[in-house]
Amino acid sequence: MMIAETTGRAACLIGWPAAHSRSPLIHHYWLRLHGITGGYSIEAIPPEGFAEFVMHLSTHGFAGANVTIPHKERALQLTEPDERARAVGAANTLYYDGAVLRSTNTDVEGFISNLDVAAPGWDRTGDALVLGAGGASRAVVFGLVERGIPRIHLANRTMERARVLADQFGARVIPAAWNTLGELLPRTGLLVNTTSLGMNGQPPLDIDLALLPRDAVVADLVYVPLETPLLSAARARGLRTADGLGMLLHQAVRGFELWFGLRPAVTQELRALVEADLL
Ligand code: ATR
């Protein structure tokens, strides 16, 4: 007698080499919580095998996937990207819409949702000041543009990179030289660090937070350590903060929803689980 397969849906993270990632922990937590039969694996796929793997994602048993280094730009070309993925220039989440493989960039939503939860009203505090002009910065800047923040200053050690990025996002994004931070901070309502400064093994981000208004919000994308020197200085001044782990958890929400059909919540329990894994 044939027994019908009752296995659920599965998703995966495609990277090369197989990076250590917290995504399986996050998605397994939600699958368990909601009693969904499904899986989330890490698939180590070299660049030369990426196109084949993605073109036959469902044949390989997947309802969708996350994509990480070095495949995020290539993923954009192999799928039907939405506006966010196109604007950021990289896709990190793939999903089927019927037979069509679509993609999005969930870092945009992760950044904005985390701020909405951690610091409600953050979008009414004044100008935004974004530090850094790499891939992470693109997602942040696009999220701020989408939310309608009227003025977004973009400062980077290499100013030319800030100029190039600002040019792509229109007049609301204003490139700034790193040595003008002192002038910008007093009118900054939201300060965002997208650089690697403050990460374990890197120098701290050396900024005088005393120049910020008292109602300013400080966000850091770095999550190792959980509390960066920037965030701890902000908290010491009584400023509201949004941390990198919050963004990481919130960016996973949309992928889970697209693959498994249920929008999961970022709970304290999930946060504690991932925090314990970071230590
Ligand atoms: P990601 O894609 O994660 O954003 P990235 O593209 O390597 O990574 O960008 C890293 C960012 O951190 C850049 O804005 C980089 O500044 P440069 O464009 O001038 O390189 C910034 N960064 C890294 N080390 C820095 C340092 N010591 N001082 C100031 N900025 C630094």
Side-chain angles (χ1 to χ4, degrees), residues 32-33 36 46 49 66-67 91 122 128 138 145 163-164 186 188 192 232 239 246 254-256 258 278:
R32 221 173 22 246
L33 185 70
I36 297 172
N66 282 134
V67 173
W122 65 270
R138 302 175 71 91
V145 168
R163 268 203 205 95
V164 169
T188 294
V192 187
S232 96
L239 302 175
R254 180 85 178 122
F256 189 94
L258 288 165
L278 288 173

Side-chain angles (χ1 to χ4, degrees), residues 1-272:
M1 191 178 80
M2 291 279 288
I3 296 174
E5 280 259 19
T6 52
T7 50
R9 292 148 75 83
C12 63
L13 170 67
I14 312 171
W16 182 261
H20 181 66
S21 162
R22 272 85 199 183
S23 293
L25 190 63
I26 298 169
H27 291 293
H28 286 151
Y29 167 81
W30 282 329
L31 287 168
R32 221 173 22 246
L33 185 70
H34 295 290
I36 297 172
T37 313
Y40 186 99
S41 56
I42 292 187
E43 301 293 326
I45 307 292
E48 59 273 22
F50 183 69
E52 191 281 335
F53 192 83
V54 165
M55 300 322 288
H56 301 102
L57 201 55
S58 63
T59 318
H60 291 291
F62 296 109
N66 282 134
V67 173
T68 188
I69 293 165
H71 302 311
K72 287 196 214 182
E73 287 79 18
R74 187 88 178 93
L76 199 64
Q77 298 155 3
L78 296 169
T79 57
E80 289 291 328
D82 69 0
E83 199 197 344
R84 287 178 175 178
R86 274 201 306 272
V88 176
N92 73 348
T93 301
L94 316 185
Y95 61 100
Y96 284 101
D97 174 9
V100 180
L101 186 62
R102 297 194 187 279
S103 65
T104 185
N105 188 306
T106 63
D107 287 336
V108 177
E109 168 173 328
F111 173 69
I112 297 292
S113 299
N114 185 41
L115 273 174
D116 283 339
V117 170
W122 65 270
D123 49 352
R124 295 188 297 275
T125 49
D127 290 9
L129 171 56
V130 178
L131 308 178
S137 173
R138 302 175 71 91
V140 165
V141 170
F142 185 68
L144 296 175
V145 168
E146 232 186 12
R147 179 53 79 90
I149 304 303
R151 256 191 316 278
I152 303 153
H153 303 278
L154 182 62
N156 195 46
R157 175 179 60 180
T158 314
M159 196 184 166
E160 187 50 28
R161 275 186 100 189
R163 268 203 205 95
V164 169
L165 205 159
D167 278 352
Q168 287 166 22
F169 288 100
R172 278 192 278 157
V173 184
I174 306 152
W178 198 265
N179 61 13
T180 62
L181 290 183
E183 293 152 44
L184 292 172
L185 286 166
R187 53 190 161 109
T188 294
L190 172 71
L191 174 67
V192 187
N193 174 43
T194 77
T195 76
S196 46
L197 293 172
M199 203 180 276
N200 278 350
Q202 298 284 323
L205 177 59
D206 191 16
I207 279 191
D208 185 4
L209 296 185
L211 295 170
L212 282 174
R214 303 236 41 114
D215 65 344
V217 174
V218 177
D220 203 333
L221 269 52
V222 172
Y223 60 90
V224 183
L226 264 178
E227 180 159 278
T228 59
L230 176 73
L231 291 180
S232 96
R235 282 194 188 128
R237 290 196 57 76
L239 302 175
R240 291 187 299 160
T241 59
D243 69 10
L245 177 58
M247 173 172 169
L248 176 76
L249 299 174
H250 281 280
Q251 72 75 33
V253 168
R254 180 85 178 122
F256 189 94
E257 181 182 27
L258 288 165
W259 309 319
F260 302 113
L262 183 152
R263 189 165 176 85
V266 174
T267 61
Q268 268 310 318
E269 189 184 29
L270 172 62
R271 205 187 140 91

